[in-house]
């Protein structure tokens, strides 16, 4: 035991001690293993680097070839823009459009303007005077009749979009197709961007850049490549993988944590692709269940509609998968930082408790999102008083059910898959400078100190 020299009165002097003593009478002699390695660190000096350079090379050996294959596929299937049309199809915004403004709106009897009102609908018709403000006929005015049961109403001074049909008679060349909503949409986008940057700061700014990349890949590669006749599933896999790699590494950094999230997302996407292909074929789903799909098929008969359905499932699931895999990987890393000595099994169990809550909320979100999108369809089935079985097993609804359940299965599977990958990686090895644990000399020193 460390002894202090006594005062003249025989009491120990706790201020004037001999060498190698602390104020609480503990010996400060360093343990043997620390003296042998004066620059080493024991486990008491904070959490070590969770992944060594060797393990980072192993992860890179898996992901770099995959990224190279995806980039090669992107280059090989690059469409070079949407296919050229010999003439306007007249579909949607393929028409010629100009800007215009409503200058006057007056109520008129429907009989006077030749509008037949459906039975049970009350109210007068409206006659809107519209002035073209762009194009070769700027300044020309025409009239638009609005029946009382129309969902879109107009007001004085409202900006609208008009379609121009050059081959029609002069009085019928222009017609209102939509309202001009550029100002509120741009304002909302600006508010969204400011909120993301204000809260997320640099990470939020990088997330916005990733969003731009996602839209660019979607509009410049995925959609034109499908229109050029490429396999929709192959295009979706390549395009979705490129989006995932760019956005995840851009937003979360090029590190092992992000790489584990990428691996978990890839495995889950593979599962979604296999399940989707199996049940789409088994349920004999054609994918041609609405007017838009039928119109696309009539304009481009070479597009594989069933592959388009599976591609939509993959792309729709990708965004939610990214959220789940990144969250689970971050949870494992933070748990390891809080308890550096925890085993991979303990980390896995703790992170899965977080993941189960995530599963419950996200699956419910997916179901409600699809139900909200299909709400008019569900209303039609309710009006028709069809039975639940008839509604559920009809192709129109079965397609959405398969889409929802396949995506949800992949989402649920991503939680344990990503969690176990993260737990194994973060516990696989230690930084070379970190000791594996307290040596025998350290243990002997601690037992000696407790006895004293």
């Amino acid at each position: 035991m460390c002894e202090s020299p006594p005062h003249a009165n025989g009491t120990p002097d706790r201020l004037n001690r001999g060498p190698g003593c602390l104020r609480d009478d503990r010996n400060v002699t360093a343990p043997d293993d620390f003296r042998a390695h004066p620059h080493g660190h024991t486990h008491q000096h904070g959490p070590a680097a969770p992944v060594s350079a060797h393990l980072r090379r192993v992860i890179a050996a898996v992901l770099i070839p995959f990224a190279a294959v995806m980039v090669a596929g992107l280059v090989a299937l690059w469409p070079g823009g949407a296919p050229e049309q010999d003439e306007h199809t007249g579909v949607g915004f393929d028409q010629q459009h100009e800007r215009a403004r409503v200058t006057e709106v007056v109520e008129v009897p429907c009989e006077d303007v030749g509008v037949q009102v459906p039975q049970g609908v009350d109210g007068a018709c409206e006659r809107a005077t519209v002035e073209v403000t762009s194009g070769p006929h700027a300044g020309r005015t025409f009239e638009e009749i609005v029946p009382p049961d129309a969902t879109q109403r107009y007001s004085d001074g409202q900006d609208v979009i008009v379609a121009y049909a050059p081959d029609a008679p002069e009085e019928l060349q222009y017609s209102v197709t939509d309202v001009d909503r550029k100002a509120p949409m741009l304002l909302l986008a600006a508010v969204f961007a400011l909120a993301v940057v204000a809260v997320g700061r640099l990470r939020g700014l990088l997330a916005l850049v990733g969003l731009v990349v996602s839209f660019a890949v979607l509009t410049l590669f995925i959609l034109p490549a499908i229109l050029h006749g490429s396999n929709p599933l192959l295009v979706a896999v390549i395009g979705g993988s490129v989006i995932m790699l760019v956005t995840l590494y851009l937003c979360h950094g090029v590190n092992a944590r992000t790489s584990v999230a990428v691996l978990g997302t890839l495995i889950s996407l593979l599962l979604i692709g296999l399940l989707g292909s199996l049940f789409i074929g088994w349920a004999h789903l054609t994918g041609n269940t609405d007017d838009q799909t039928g119109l696309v098929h009539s304009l481009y008969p070479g597009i594989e509609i069933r592959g388009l359905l599976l591609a939509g499932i993959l792309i729709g699931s990708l965004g939610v998968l990214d959220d789940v895999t990144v969250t689970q990987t971050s949870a494992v890393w933070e748990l390891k930082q809080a308890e550096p000595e925890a085993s991979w099994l303990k980390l896995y169990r703790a992170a899965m408790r977080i993941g189960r809550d995530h599963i419950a909320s996200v699956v419910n979100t997916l179901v409600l999102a699809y139900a909200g999108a299909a709400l008019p369809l569900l209303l039609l089935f309710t009006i028709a008083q069809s039975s639940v079985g008839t509604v559920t097993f009809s192709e129109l609804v079965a397609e959405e059910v398969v889409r929802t359940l396949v995506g949800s299965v992949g989402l649920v599977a991503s939680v344990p898959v990503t969690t176990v990958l993260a737990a194994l990686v973060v516990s696989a090895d230690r930084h070379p400078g970190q000791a594996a644990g307290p040596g025998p000399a350290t243990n002997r020193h601690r037992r000696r100190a407790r006895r004293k």
Side-chain angles (χ1 to χ4, degrees):
M1 181 179 294
C2 178
E3 298 292 344
S4 301
H7 280 295
N9 58 6
T11 60
D13 185 0
R14 298 190 180 274
L15 296 180
N16 183 20
R17 301 185 175 201
C21 296
L22 293 175
R23 291 180 59 119
D24 58 356
D25 291 338
R26 292 182 300 182
N27 195 301
V28 296
T29 304
D32 296 338
D33 57 342
F34 187 82
R35 287 199 304 270
H37 304 282
H39 299 291
H41 295 279
T42 67
H43 69 288
Q44 293 180 325
H45 286 72
V51 176
S52 68
H54 171 70
L55 194 54
R56 287 197 297 270
R57 287 193 294 269
V58 173
I59 295 175
V62 176
L63 290 178
I64 290 178
F66 170 78
V69 171
M70 293 300 103
V71 172
L74 189 71
V75 173
L77 296 178
W78 187 260
E84 295 291 335
Q85 293 286 337
D86 296 334
E87 58 183 12
H88 288 286
T89 63
V91 177
F93 285 93
D94 187 41
Q95 300 170 321
Q96 294 178 259
H97 287 85
E98 302 292 347
R99 300 189 179 279
R101 178 176 291 109
V102 178
T103 58
E104 184 183 22
V105 178
V106 295
E107 289 189 356
V108 294
C110 293
E111 297 82 5
D112 294 351
V113 293
V115 175
Q116 186 176 359
V117 180
Q119 186 176 2
V121 176
D122 297 326
C125 292
E126 293 180 347
R127 181 170 58 200
T129 303
V130 183
E131 179 183 359
V132 180
T133 58
S134 67
H137 300 137
R140 178 190 291 187
T141 61
F142 66 94
E143 293 182 347
E144 184 85 8
I145 304 301
V146 184
D149 59 339
T151 55
Q152 184 64 263
R153 319 298 293 186
Y154 304 111
S155 58
D156 293 346
Q158 184 178 16
D159 293 327
V160 294
I161 304 296
V162 296
Y164 173 56
D167 297 333
E170 182 176 342
E171 65 275 10
L172 300 177
Q173 285 182 336
Y174 285 96
S175 61
V176 178
T177 59
D178 205 351
V179 298
D180 187 352
R181 53 180 64 89
K182 178 187 292 186
M185 296 293 289
L186 292 179
L187 178 60
L188 180 60
V191 171
F192 166 74
L194 288 175
V196 171
V197 174
V199 176
R201 299 185 180 179
L202 179 59
R203 192 66 63 86
L205 181 61
L206 293 175
L208 292 178
V209 175
L211 185 62
V212 173
V213 171
S214 299
F215 275 108
V217 173
L218 182 65
T219 57
L220 299 179
F221 172 69
I222 295 178
L223 298 179
I226 292 175
L227 290 178
H228 274 280
S230 299
N231 184 280
L233 179 58
L234 181 61
V235 170
V237 169
I238 293 175
S241 299
V242 170
I243 290 174
M244 175 191 63
L245 290 171
V246 172
T247 55
L248 283 182
Y249 283 116
L250 182 65
C251 297
H252 303 286
V254 182
N255 50 50
R257 181 188 304 196
T258 307
S259 299
V260 171
V262 169
L263 288 174
T265 305
L266 288 176
I267 295 173
S268 303
L269 279 178
L270 177 62
L271 177 61
I272 290 174
L274 293 175
L275 286 177
S277 180
L278 172 64
F279 283 96
I280 287 174
W282 194 6
H284 301 286
L285 298 178
T286 63
N288 191 4
T289 55
D290 53 34
D291 295 339
Q292 290 81 8
T293 307
L295 186 57
V296 168
H297 185 58
S298 64
L299 293 174
Y300 295 91
I303 293 179
E304 186 186 351
I305 300 300
R306 182 175 292 182
L308 193 62
L309 171 60
L310 184 55
I313 294 176
L314 287 174
I315 295 175
S317 304
L318 183 60
V320 185
L321 279 176
D322 289 350
D323 172 47
V324 173
T325 55
V326 169
T327 300
Q328 286 304 114
T329 306
S330 297
V332 173
W333 248 260
E334 293 301 323
L335 289 169
K336 185 65 174 180
Q337 293 285 336
E339 189 175 350
E341 298 304 317
S343 66
W344 75 268
L345 185 58
K346 184 175 182 180
L347 293 174
Y348 171 77
R349 289 173 175 171
M352 278 301 297
R353 288 193 288 270
I354 301 172
R356 292 186 187 100
D357 291 336
H358 206 176
I359 288 173
S361 60
V362 174
V363 168
N364 195 42
T365 301
L366 276 179
V367 173
L368 292 179
Y370 283 123
L375 197 58
L377 174 64
L378 297 178
L379 287 174
L380 288 178
F381 278 113
T382 303
I383 294 171
Q385 297 182 354
S386 301
S387 65
V388 175
T390 302
V391 172
T392 304
F393 301 127
S394 65
E395 182 174 6
L396 199 58
V397 176
E399 181 180 303
E400 297 301 324
V401 172
V402 170
R403 189 195 309 270
T404 303
L405 296 184
V406 167
S408 299
V409 169
L411 179 66
V412 171
S414 70
V415 173
V417 168
T418 307
T419 304
V420 73
L421 283 175
L424 290 172
V425 168
V426 81
S427 305
D429 56 1
R430 298 173 181 271
H431 192 273
Q434 184 186 13
T442 305
N443 292 332
R444 289 195 301 269
H445 168 69
R446 288 178 177 174
R447 288 194 297 269
R448 189 183 304 116
R450 284 196 297 268
R451 287 197 299 270
K452 294 177 180 179

